[in-house]
Amino acid sequence: MLLLLPAGILAQGCPAECQCSQPQTVFCISRRSPAVPQGLPRDTANLYMFENGIRSLSRDSFAGLPALQLLDLSQNLIPGLPRDVFQPLAGLRNLDLSSNQLHEVTNESFHGLRLLERLYLDRNRIQAIHPAAFDSLENLLELKLQDNRLQALPPLGLPTLLLLDLSRNRIGALEPATFHVHNLESLKVAGLGLRSLGEELLQSLRNLHELDVSDNLLARVPGALKQLRGLTKLSLAGNGQISQLHPEDFQELRDLQELDVSRLNLRGLPRDFLGSFPRLRAVTAAENPFNCVCQLSWFVSWVSSSKASLRRSDETRCHFPPKNAGRLLQHLEYADFGCPATTTTTTTTSKATSPKLATATPSTGHVPPEPSTPDASPEDGSPTPTPFTAPEGPPSPPEGTHLCPPRTCLNEGVCQLDASNHVECACPQGFGGLYCETQVQATAPPPAATQAPAQPKQIAIKHVGGTSLKVDLQNYIQSKTQLKGIRLTYWNLSGPDKRPVTLSLPASLPEYTVRALKPNSSYHLCVGPLGDQAHEQDLCVEAQTLHLTHQQHAPVTQRKDANLALVVVPAMASVLLLVAAMAAGSYYVRRKRRQKAQSVSGAGSSGPLELEGVKAGLEKAEPAGHGPKTAATTAAATGLECEVPLMQPQYTSAAPTPRAARPSYF
C-alpha cells in the first residue's frame, strides 16, 4: 500500500493530518484544529492551511520556516494579528488572510514582509487600517480589501502596486490624496455608494487598464474617463441613475476591449456608439429598459456583423413598444423597429435607373429635405426628384419637431423627439402615460380654491416565496394623471447594506415582482412618479419577507390588522397540509390491500416510504457521511470563500462566488 502513495507523500517530519510533497509543499486542509500544526518541514516553501478552524496566532506560530514563500490562512476564524507574527518569514511573497474575522490592521501587523507581493485581506470584518500599516510593503503588487467594513481609507503610498480592490465597503467618498500608486493597472471600487468620481482622483493613474465602478450611485458617466487613454476594461454596471451615454465621454478610449453597461437605465444607445471602439471584444448591455424603436435599429446589424460578442444576450431585451416588450433585442428584424418607410425616385434616362433612398440623419432621426429651387432642374433634362412626404396617419407634430417612427404613441397620440432624442407623446383627452398607453377617467375638476391632487390609495404587497414580493401598482396608477412612468425604490432594513435599489417601470404595469431579496428580512418599498426625485408624498410601505420554509401568505398592507392575516393564513396552510397527508395515507392503505389481493408479497415489496416518487429519490441520494470529502465540497457547505494567489492557479480552495440574481425588468 505504501508503494501506491505519491512520491514524497510520506516525507520525513510531516505533521499528522497534513500531506507533504516535493518540492516543499504542505497541505493541511480541513483539519478542524484551533492552532497552527507543529513540526512542519523546515524547507517548506508553500503552506496551505485554509479551513482549519484556526482561532488564534502567536508570535512563534511560524518560527523555523525561513524558506516559506506562500502562506494560505484563508477561511479560518482568526480575529486579530499579534505583533510581529510574520517577522520570521522574511522571504514570504504571497499571504492570503481572506475569509477570517479580522477587525483591524495595525502598523505592526506586517512587519518584516519587505518582499511580499500579494496580500489578500478580503471578506473580513476590518473597520480600521492604521495609516502606516503598509509602509514596509515596498514590493507589494496586489492588495485586496473588498467585502469589509471600512468607512475610510488611509493614503496608500505603494509605488509598485498594480491591483487594488476596495469593492463593497462603506466608503462613501474617495479623497483625491488617497492614491499614491502611479503604476496601478487595475482599480475596483464597486458597491461603495460613490456619487461621483473626481478627475483629480484618477488623473495620476495614467497606467490604468481596468476600472470597475459598478453598483454605485453615479448619475452620469465620470468625466475622468477622458484621461484614461490606456483603459482596456470598463464596468459601469448597476448605476441605475445613468440614463444616457454620451460619445464624447468615451472618445479617448480607443483601446477599450470589454465594456459593461448592464443594469443602467438606458432606453437607447447613440447611433454607432460601439463602432468607436476598434479593439472591442465583448460588450454587456443586459437588464436595460430599451426602447426598441428606429433609433436603436443599428444595434442589431452591429451584433450580427461585429467581431465583438454580446454577453448575457438572453437578458438583453426590449422594454417598449408593447409589441416588442420582452423580446430578445438581437432577434429583432429591421421592420420590427417601426422605422419610417423609405421612398425611391427614378430618372427618365436611357441608362438603368437606380433607386435613391431617403435616409435619416444619425443624431435626430428626421429626413433632410433635398436642396432645390423652384426653377432648377437637372442638366440632363430629367424631372426634379419628388421630395419625401410622410404617409397619412395620426395628427402631425408641430413644424420644426423631429420625425418619430410610426406607431410609437398609442391611442392616436402625437409623437416627437425632444432635444435629448427621447420619445415624447402628446396624448389625446382620456389617455395618459409615457406613450398614451393608460386610459384616464375624465372628471370635472373642482373649483380652483379647493382643487387638490388626488391622494393615492394604499399599495398591497403579496409574498411570492421567501425571496420575492409582488407590488400591486393598480391603485397608484389610477390615482395619477399624465403619469409617464413609475419609480419603484426598495432597500433592506434588516441587513447591513441599506443602499436603495431604484427601478423604472412603465405606467401601464399593474403589478411588479421584486426578486432576489433576503429571506426573513424587513424591506422598505416606495412608489413615486418616474423622473422625480424621492419625495415625502411617495407612497411607502414596509413588508417582511418569509422564511424559506414558509409558503405564500396573504397580502401585506399598511392596515393595522395586517399581522392577523400573517398569523391566520399559515395556520390554514398547516391544516391543508395535514388533510393532504391523511389523504395520501388512505390512498396507500387501499393500494396495499389491492396488492395483497393480487399477489403474495415478496422480498422486493414496497415499504411504507415507497409512495410514488419517494423511493426513486432515496435511491439516488448519497448516504450521509460517505464519499470523498474535498476542500471544495466542504467550502460549499460552509459558505466560505477563498482566493489563492494568482501565482498558484492550480490550487483552488473554494468554489467561485455565484453572481447575485438581479430583479428583471419584465
Side-chain angles (χ1 to χ4, degrees):
M1 293 181 61
L2 296 177
L3 296 176
L4 298 177
L5 296 175
I9 201 70
L10 296 177
Q12 186 177 2
C14 189
E17 302 181 359
C18 295
Q19 294 180 350
C20 304
S21 62
Q22 296 297 329
Q24 304 90 22
T25 299
V26 179
F27 293 92
C28 301
I29 303 173
S30 303
R31 293 174 52 251
R32 299 302 179 188
S33 175
V36 175
Q38 300 299 314
L40 292 167
R42 186 174 179 81
D43 62 347
T44 300
N46 304 309
L47 177 57
Y48 294 88
M49 292 189 298
F50 54 84
E51 199 183 354
N52 274 225
I54 298 175
R55 295 183 177 274
S56 63
L57 299 175
S58 61
R59 296 186 62 179
D60 58 349
S61 293
F62 306 107
L65 298 174
L68 197 63
Q69 297 184 14
L70 184 150
L71 177 59
D72 189 343
L73 290 168
S74 61
Q75 302 184 61
N76 284 292
L77 304 173
I78 303 172
L81 301 175
R83 177 181 180 181
D84 298 332
V85 63
F86 301 116
Q87 185 77 28
L89 307 179
L92 195 66
R93 296 182 181 274
N94 302 285
L95 177 58
D96 191 346
L97 290 164
S98 60
S99 298
N100 275 281
Q101 298 180 5
L102 300 178
H103 287 81
E104 65 174 345
V105 179
T106 69
N107 60 332
E108 299 175 340
S109 296
F110 305 113
H111 270 186
L113 300 181
R114 293 192 176 276
L115 298 181
L116 194 67
E117 296 179 350
R118 293 171 180 83
L119 176 59
Y120 297 163
L121 297 170
D122 50 291
R123 299 178 183 89
N124 277 278
R125 304 174 182 178
I126 300 175
Q127 300 180 9
I129 297 178
H130 192 277
F134 307 126
D135 285 355
S136 62
L137 308 181
E138 54 192 32
N139 292 299
L140 196 65
L141 301 177
E142 299 180 11
L143 177 59
K144 294 187 177 183
L145 291 166
Q146 69 267 29
D147 297 291
N148 278 288
R149 301 177 182 178
L150 292 171
Q151 297 184 3
L153 188 71
L156 298 177
L158 300 170
T160 61
L161 196 67
L162 300 180
L163 182 148
L164 176 62
D165 195 341
L166 303 172
S167 301
R168 294 174 297 280
N169 277 280
R170 303 175 182 177
I171 307 173
L174 293 173
E175 299 299 330
T178 300
F179 299 140
H180 300 281
V181 285
H182 303 297
N183 292 316
L184 196 68
E185 294 183 356
S186 177
L187 177 61
K188 300 180 180 181
V189 289
L192 297 184
L194 299 177
R195 296 184 179 275
S196 62
L197 203 61
E199 295 187 11
E200 296 181 3
L201 181 67
L202 299 177
Q203 64 182 358
S204 62
L205 306 180
R206 299 300 176 89
N207 199 41
L208 202 64
H209 298 327
E210 178 180 2
L211 177 61
D212 184 356
V213 292
S214 59
D215 297 313
N216 280 290
L217 302 175
L218 301 178
R220 57 158 297 165
V221 176
L225 294 181
K226 300 176 182 178
Q227 305 176 12
L228 306 178
R229 298 186 177 183
L231 209 61
T232 60
K233 186 176 181 180
L234 173 63
S235 177
L236 297 166
N239 288 278
Q241 299 184 42
I242 297 180
S243 59
Q244 284 184 301
L245 299 180
H246 301 284
E248 57 268 21
D249 292 331
F250 301 86
Q251 61 185 0
E252 301 296 333
L253 306 183
R254 303 290 296 175
D255 293 331
L256 197 66
Q257 299 178 18
E258 297 184 24
L259 175 63
D260 191 344
V261 290
S262 60
R263 295 184 290 116
L264 304 182
N265 196 23
L266 301 179
R267 287 166 171 78
L269 293 170
R271 187 173 184 85
D272 296 330
F273 169 69
L274 299 176
S276 58
F277 309 119
R279 301 183 61 187
L280 194 65
R281 296 185 304 183
V283 62
T284 309
E287 298 186 61
N288 276 292
F290 284 122
N291 288 345
C292 294
V293 293
C294 191
Q295 288 76 20
L296 197 59
S297 60
W298 67 269
F299 185 76
V300 175
S301 59
W302 178 88
V303 171
S304 61
S305 61
S306 175
K307 296 181 180 179
S309 62
L310 179 64
R311 292 177 177 173
R312 297 174 60 192
S313 58
D314 57 334
E315 300 175 75
T316 309
R317 298 174 179 268
C318 298
H319 194 64
F320 180 85
K323 69 184 183 72
N324 290 334
R327 297 179 63 185
L328 294 178
L329 189 56
Q330 66 174 358
H331 288 174
L332 295 185
E333 303 277 344
Y334 179 79
D336 295 327
F337 289 90
C339 292
T342 57
T343 61
T344 62
T345 58
T346 58
T347 58
T348 57
T349 63
S350 58
K351 298 181 180 180
T353 60
S354 60
K356 186 175 183 179
L357 302 181
T359 58
T361 59
S363 59
T364 62
H366 71 281
V367 178
E370 294 287 343
S372 61
T373 58
D375 299 330
S377 61
E379 296 180 358
D380 57 1
S382 59
T384 303
T386 305
F388 174 82
T389 57
E392 296 182 0
S396 301
E399 183 179 359
T401 59
H402 304 308
L403 180 65
C404 285
R407 302 184 300 278
T408 296
C409 298
L410 307 177
N411 299 309
E412 298 186 356
V414 178
C415 174
Q416 61 184 11
L417 301 178
D418 62 13
S420 299
N421 205 25
H422 285 177
V423 173
E424 287 186 344
C425 292
C427 302
Q429 185 175 4
F431 293 93
L434 185 60
Y435 303 102
C436 306
E437 71 276 11
T438 305
Q439 187 172 4
V440 181
Q441 296 181 354
T443 56
T450 61
Q451 186 173 4
Q455 296 296 327
K457 299 179 181 179
Q458 296 176 346
I459 58 175
I461 307 294
K462 296 181 181 179
H463 293 94
V464 184
T467 59
S468 302
L469 294 174
K470 181 178 292 186
V471 184
D472 188 354
L473 303 171
Q474 192 63 38
N475 292 336
Y476 183 79
I477 294 174
Q478 294 178 354
S479 65
K480 298 292 184 179
T481 59
Q482 300 296 327
L483 186 64
K484 294 184 177 181
I486 300 174
R487 171 176 40 81
L488 174 61
T489 306
Y490 65 93
W491 59 90
N492 191 349
L493 299 175
S494 303
D497 188 357
K498 294 181 172 57
R499 290 172 296 179
V501 177
T502 302
L503 303 176
S504 301
L505 307 176
S508 60
L509 195 65
E511 60 184 14
Y512 183 82
T513 301
V514 183
R515 306 183 187 277
L517 304 178
K518 298 292 184 182
N520 197 25
S521 301
S522 296
Y523 279 85
H524 193 80
L525 301 97
C526 290
V527 174
L530 185 64
D532 297 341
Q533 299 294 330
H535 194 270
E536 60 183 6
Q537 294 184 357
D538 287 357
L539 188 59
C540 299
V541 63
E542 291 186 10
Q544 178 84 13
T545 56
L546 305 178
H547 194 274
L548 287 178
T549 58
H550 291 179
Q551 301 296 325
Q552 183 175 348
H553 288 184
V556 179
T557 63
Q558 293 172 300
R559 296 169 50 189
K560 295 182 179 180
D561 58 350
N563 291 333
L564 180 60
L566 294 177
V567 174
V568 174
V569 175
M572 295 178 63
S574 300
V575 173
L576 292 176
L577 289 175
L578 180 59
V579 172
M582 293 174 64
S586 175
Y587 164 76
Y588 166 71
V589 171
R590 294 195 302 270
R591 179 181 177 187
K592 289 294 292 183
R593 289 177 178 175
R594 289 197 301 269
Q595 289 177 348
K596 289 183 179 181
Q598 294 176 0
S599 62
V600 179
S601 61
S605 59
S606 301
L609 289 178
E610 295 178 14
L611 293 178
E612 184 176 358
V614 176
K615 182 178 179 181
L618 293 176
E619 290 175 347
K620 295 179 181 179
E622 191 72 26
H626 292 72
K629 181 179 180 181
T630 63
T633 56
T634 308
T638 58
L640 297 174
E641 300 171 353
C642 172
E643 290 186 61
V644 300
L646 298 180
M647 295 294 292
Q648 303 290 332
Q650 66 270 29
Y651 302 118
T652 56
S653 53
T657 307
R659 184 175 65 88
R662 300 292 300 176
S664 172
Y665 282 101
F666 309 107

